[in-house]
Amino acid sequence: MWESGRRSGLRASQAYYFRLIHKFMGKSFDRSQALELLSFILLLAGAALVLLPLAAVFWVSLSPSGVGVKATDLTFANYQEAWRRGNFLLAFLNSTLVAIAVTAFQVVTSALAGYALAR
């Protein structure tokens, strides 16, 4: 079941949290275990605090009216309209061109610097 500290089929972080939860299901806690559990709960609460408003904004953006949303009324029409009205294709192409140019320049200058530092 356990292979070199990992549960088969799970990523390392999942296996860590599986062991952490399994450890806390024991009968007694020492101070470090209690602090570790508290930090885990606080991190989960913080992640929910950050991600839930983003999920709500995304959910409402899929609504045709922008107010109450039922699961059957979801549509990507708002994104299509914003793409068309905002001329995002031109902005996307400009950003791509700048990114390619900057990356090429950075590769050349890094190669030259690496050559100079290697000597």
Side-chain angles (χ1 to χ4, degrees):
M1 184 164 156
W2 291 94
E3 300 169 5
S4 67
R6 291 177 54 176
R7 186 174 178 168
S8 58
L10 295 178
R11 293 190 319 241
S13 61
Q14 290 172 325
Y16 169 76
Y17 290 116
F18 178 80
R19 286 192 309 272
L20 182 69
I21 291 168
H22 187 269
K23 179 172 67 170
F24 288 125
M25 291 175 67
K27 296 185 185 204
S28 64
F29 290 102
D30 64 357
R31 185 178 176 99
S32 66
Q33 287 177 328
L35 288 174
E36 194 173 354
L37 177 62
L38 179 64
S39 67
F40 179 70
I41 291 170
L42 288 175
L43 284 172
L44 283 178
L49 188 67
V50 170
L51 294 177
L52 286 177
L54 293 174
V57 167
F58 178 70
W59 187 262
V60 170
S61 73
L62 295 175
S63 169
S65 64
V67 189
V69 182
K70 289 188 243 172
T72 57
D73 296 339
L74 301 179
T75 179
F76 284 99
N78 292 337
Y79 287 97
Q80 293 170 343
E81 184 67 20
W83 188 274
R84 187 184 58 75
R85 277 191 188 177
N87 202 9
F88 280 102
L89 184 58
L90 179 62
F92 182 74
L93 291 175
N94 287 340
S95 297
T96 303
L97 179 65
V98 168
I100 289 171
V102 167
T103 302
F105 181 74
Q106 187 65 40
V107 166
V108 169
T109 56
S110 296
L112 293 173
Y115 179 76
L117 291 173
R119 294 196 138 238

